[in-house]
Amino acid sequence: MRPNRLREIWKSGGAALNGWLAIPNSFSAETMAHQGWDALTIDLQHGVVDYQAMVPMLQALSTTATVPVVRVPWLEPGILMKTLDAGAYGVICPMVNTREDAQKLVAWTHYAPRGTRSFGPVRALLYGGADYAQHANDTIVTFAMIETAQALDNLDAILSVEGLDAIYIGPSDLSLALGCTPTFDDVDPPVAQAIDHILARAKAHGVVAAIHNGSPEAALARIAKGFQFVTVSSDARLMAAGAQQVVAKMRNRPAPGSAQGY
């Protein structure tokens, strides 16, 4: 079976750089995949992507060594299993709030005897290889999102679930849950403390800690703290930022024969 580079990076003690795909288009996904990201996550929760758009996007990512990850809309067995059958090598599940939630997530993403995932890896066989069934349980990466006050209360119970590979912090939802302004990077002090606490407990349990960031600077600072999977921005935000820079330069360029902009 094709190895999962995320596991290789983590085993070596490194951190993976993850991009985010919110645009439902295979060409934009392919373009992003050729920029050198370790992984790219297709967002089915808040992006404007559905399952039919996701499959060609996964095919586009397959033109590179970039690891295909999908954030599913919710903790629901059908979409988790279809996502893995389509060839995702990692799944990020939002709003995992209890040990029972984490147990369901692990069960629905693993074949028996470890879990209850139904067998039918229709595209995963093409991407992963003919021996997919024998190695999928040890290759696929399962992330539980920690982003609520309830999840914080149950953090150690969640992290102790066998088979959970990583936790993923959503700073904006975590900020809202703690009564603060939603943001990625410059979080309020209570959120910063919660993020540090989650990171420390994840390390204590041997679970990889991941987090969403708005800027490379924030991502680098969090790698320095010990995060091993950092997301920076998204395709839509990066496109908008690049376009804004071009427009701003053009608008501020002096017109011929004049000191004024146009």
Side-chain angles (χ1 to χ4, degrees):
M1 183 173 173
R2 181 196 298 249
N4 191 326
R5 290 181 61 241
L6 292 180
R7 291 193 179 277
E8 295 175 346
I9 291 169
W10 296 339
K11 187 176 181 179
S12 70
L17 175 60
N18 179 58
W20 203 256
L21 304 179
I23 300 171
N25 184 274
S26 61
F27 178 59
S28 61
E30 183 180 25
T31 300
M32 284 282 283
H34 280 266
Q35 305 315 308
W37 305 90
D38 295 312
L40 282 169
T41 297
I42 301 171
D43 186 10
L44 296 188
Q45 185 188 18
H46 292 308
V48 290
V49 183
D50 62 12
Y51 181 85
Q52 293 301 323
M54 179 194 75
V55 174
M57 291 170 73
L58 288 171
Q59 293 171 321
L61 299 191
S62 297
T63 63
T64 71
T66 307
V67 180
V69 180
V70 175
R71 178 166 73 170
V72 296
W74 211 249
L75 178 60
E76 191 276 319
I79 192 59
L80 282 164
M81 295 184 198
K82 281 181 71 68
T83 293
L84 292 177
D85 288 345
Y89 253 36
V91 288
I92 301 174
C93 185
M95 297 291 181
V96 175
N97 294 319
T98 65
R99 178 178 173 81
E100 181 183 9
D101 286 346
Q103 288 173 324
K104 289 178 179 178
L105 174 60
V106 170
W108 294 338
T109 53
H110 290 75
Y111 292 125
R114 294 193 206 173
T116 58
R117 179 184 171 189
S118 178
F119 187 75
V122 57
R123 182 178 174 272
L125 284 172
L126 301 177
Y127 178 77
D131 56 348
Y132 179 90
Q134 288 86 348
H135 302 288
N137 283 352
D138 297 317
T139 302
I140 302 303
V141 174
T142 302
F143 295 79
M145 292 198 73
I146 304 296
E147 49 189 344
T148 67
Q150 185 182 11
L152 282 176
D153 290 340
N154 295 314
L155 184 59
D156 281 298
I158 292 170
L159 290 168
S160 67
V161 172
E162 185 177 356
L164 182 66
D165 300 299
I167 53 93
Y168 190 99
I169 299 174
S172 292
D173 273 308
L174 185 60
S175 295
L176 284 172
L178 297 178
C180 300
T181 303
T183 186
F184 291 139
D185 299 342
D186 298 322
V187 295
D188 293 333
V191 184
Q193 293 171 9
I195 289 172
D196 288 344
H197 174 65
I198 295 168
L199 173 62
R201 297 315 302 156
K203 284 184 170 295
H205 285 271
V207 174
V208 169
I211 191 166
H212 208 101
N213 306 270
S215 68
E217 293 77 16
L220 288 168
R222 284 165 172 164
I223 289 174
K225 283 191 168 189
F227 282 95
Q228 288 188 275
F229 185 95
V230 291
T231 300
V232 180
S233 194
S234 71
D235 53 359
R237 288 175 180 268
L238 291 170
M239 182 176 67
Q244 286 174 353
Q245 291 178 7
V246 171
V247 171
K249 288 180 180 179
M250 294 302 296
R251 294 297 186 197
N252 292 328
R253 186 172 73 89
S258 169
Q260 303 297 318
Y262 69 96

Short mmCIF file of all heavy atoms in Angstrom, two decimals, residues 242-256 258-262:
data_model
loop_
_atom_site.label_atom_id
_atom_site.label_comp_id
_atom_site.label_asym_id
_atom_site.label_seq_id
_atom_site.Cartn_x
_atom_site.Cartn_y
_atom_site.Cartn_z
N GLY A 242 -3.73 37.54 -3.02
CA GLY A 242 -2.89 37.83 -4.18
C GLY A 242 -3.54 38.83 -5.12
O GLY A 242 -2.88 39.75 -5.63
N ALA A 243 -4.84 38.67 -5.35
CA ALA A 243 -5.56 39.60 -6.23
C ALA A 243 -5.60 41.00 -5.63
O ALA A 243 -5.45 42.00 -6.35
CB ALA A 243 -6.97 39.09 -6.47
N GLN A 244 -5.78 41.11 -4.32
CA GLN A 244 -5.80 42.42 -3.65
C GLN A 244 -4.48 43.15 -3.84
O GLN A 244 -4.44 44.36 -4.07
CB GLN A 244 -6.12 42.24 -2.17
CG GLN A 244 -7.57 41.90 -1.87
CD GLN A 244 -7.80 41.58 -0.41
OE1 GLN A 244 -6.86 41.49 0.38
NE2 GLN A 244 -9.06 41.40 -0.04
N GLN A 245 -3.37 42.40 -3.73
CA GLN A 245 -2.05 43.02 -3.91
C GLN A 245 -1.89 43.58 -5.31
O GLN A 245 -1.37 44.69 -5.50
CB GLN A 245 -0.96 42.01 -3.60
CG GLN A 245 -0.87 41.62 -2.14
CD GLN A 245 0.19 40.57 -1.88
OE1 GLN A 245 0.96 40.23 -2.78
NE2 GLN A 245 0.26 40.06 -0.67
N VAL A 246 -2.32 42.81 -6.31
CA VAL A 246 -2.20 43.26 -7.69
C VAL A 246 -3.06 44.50 -7.93
O VAL A 246 -2.60 45.50 -8.50
CB VAL A 246 -2.61 42.13 -8.66
CG1 VAL A 246 -2.72 42.66 -10.08
CG2 VAL A 246 -1.60 40.99 -8.60
N VAL A 247 -4.31 44.45 -7.48
CA VAL A 247 -5.22 45.58 -7.69
C VAL A 247 -4.70 46.82 -6.98
O VAL A 247 -4.74 47.93 -7.53
CB VAL A 247 -6.64 45.21 -7.21
CG1 VAL A 247 -7.54 46.44 -7.22
CG2 VAL A 247 -7.23 44.12 -8.10
N ALA A 248 -4.21 46.64 -5.74
CA ALA A 248 -3.71 47.79 -4.98
C ALA A 248 -2.52 48.44 -5.69
O ALA A 248 -2.44 49.67 -5.78
CB ALA A 248 -3.29 47.35 -3.58
N LYS A 249 -1.63 47.63 -6.24
CA LYS A 249 -0.48 48.18 -6.97
C LYS A 249 -0.93 48.92 -8.22
O LYS A 249 -0.41 49.99 -8.56
CB LYS A 249 0.49 47.07 -7.34
CG LYS A 249 1.27 46.51 -6.15
CD LYS A 249 2.21 45.41 -6.58
CE LYS A 249 2.98 44.86 -5.39
NZ LYS A 249 3.90 43.74 -5.79
N MET A 250 -1.92 48.36 -8.92
CA MET A 250 -2.39 49.00 -10.14
C MET A 250 -3.14 50.29 -9.85
O MET A 250 -3.00 51.29 -10.56
CB MET A 250 -3.27 48.04 -10.93
CG MET A 250 -2.54 46.81 -11.46
SD MET A 250 -1.16 47.24 -12.54
CE MET A 250 -2.02 48.04 -13.91
N ARG A 251 -3.95 50.28 -8.80
CA ARG A 251 -4.72 51.47 -8.47
C ARG A 251 -3.81 52.61 -8.01
O ARG A 251 -4.14 53.79 -8.21
CB ARG A 251 -5.73 51.15 -7.37
CG ARG A 251 -6.83 50.19 -7.77
CD ARG A 251 -7.69 50.72 -8.88
NE ARG A 251 -8.82 49.85 -9.17
CZ ARG A 251 -9.54 49.90 -10.27
NH1 ARG A 251 -9.22 50.78 -11.22
NH2 ARG A 251 -10.54 49.08 -10.47
N ASN A 252 -2.71 52.27 -7.40
CA ASN A 252 -1.82 53.29 -6.85
C ASN A 252 -0.73 53.71 -7.83
O ASN A 252 0.09 54.57 -7.53
CB ASN A 252 -1.16 52.77 -5.56
CG ASN A 252 -2.17 52.61 -4.45
OD1 ASN A 252 -3.13 53.36 -4.38
ND2 ASN A 252 -1.96 51.62 -3.60
N ARG A 253 -0.71 53.11 -9.02
CA ARG A 253 0.32 53.47 -10.01
C ARG A 253 0.00 54.82 -10.63
O ARG A 253 -1.13 55.07 -11.04
CB ARG A 253 0.37 52.40 -11.11
CG ARG A 253 1.52 52.62 -12.10
CD ARG A 253 1.64 51.43 -13.02
NE ARG A 253 0.56 51.38 -13.99
CZ ARG A 253 0.61 51.99 -15.19
NH1 ARG A 253 1.67 52.68 -15.53
NH2 ARG A 253 -0.41 51.88 -16.00
N PRO A 254 0.99 55.71 -10.66
CA PRO A 254 0.73 57.03 -11.27
C PRO A 254 0.34 56.91 -12.74
O PRO A 254 0.90 56.09 -13.46
CB PRO A 254 2.07 57.75 -11.13
CG PRO A 254 2.79 57.03 -10.02
CD PRO A 254 2.34 55.58 -10.13
N ALA A 255 -0.63 57.68 -13.14
CA ALA A 255 -1.03 57.71 -14.55
C ALA A 255 0.07 58.41 -15.36
O ALA A 255 0.80 59.26 -14.84
CB ALA A 255 -2.35 58.44 -14.71
N PRO A 256 0.19 58.08 -16.64
CA PRO A 256 1.22 58.73 -17.48
C PRO A 256 1.09 60.24 -17.46
O PRO A 256 0.00 60.80 -17.66
CB PRO A 256 0.93 58.17 -18.88
CG PRO A 256 0.26 56.85 -18.61
CD PRO A 256 -0.55 57.06 -17.37
N SER A 258 1.26 62.18 -14.94
CA SER A 258 0.55 62.73 -13.77
C SER A 258 1.11 62.10 -12.53
O SER A 258 1.59 60.98 -12.52
CB SER A 258 -0.95 62.42 -13.88
OG SER A 258 -1.59 62.72 -12.66
N ALA A 259 1.04 62.86 -11.43
CA ALA A 259 1.47 62.33 -10.12
C ALA A 259 0.31 61.64 -9.42
O ALA A 259 0.46 61.14 -8.32
CB ALA A 259 2.00 63.47 -9.26
N GLN A 260 -0.85 61.65 -10.04
CA GLN A 260 -2.04 61.07 -9.42
C GLN A 260 -2.19 59.60 -9.81
O GLN A 260 -1.80 59.18 -10.89
CB GLN A 260 -3.31 61.83 -9.85
CG GLN A 260 -3.27 63.30 -9.54
CD GLN A 260 -3.19 63.57 -8.05
OE1 GLN A 260 -3.86 62.91 -7.27
NE2 GLN A 260 -2.34 64.51 -7.65
N GLY A 261 -2.80 58.81 -8.91
CA GLY A 261 -3.10 57.44 -9.23
C GLY A 261 -4.37 57.34 -10.05
O GLY A 261 -5.05 58.34 -10.30
N TYR A 262 -4.68 56.16 -10.53
CA TYR A 262 -5.92 55.99 -11.30
C TYR A 262 -6.59 54.70 -10.90
O TYR A 262 -6.01 53.88 -10.21
CB TYR A 262 -5.65 56.02 -12.80
CG TYR A 262 -4.89 54.83 -13.33
CD1 TYR A 262 -5.55 53.74 -13.89
CD2 TYR A 262 -3.51 54.80 -13.25
CE1 TYR A 262 -4.86 52.66 -14.38
CE2 TYR A 262 -2.80 53.71 -13.75
CZ TYR A 262 -3.47 52.64 -14.30
OH TYR A 262 -2.79 51.58 -14.78
#
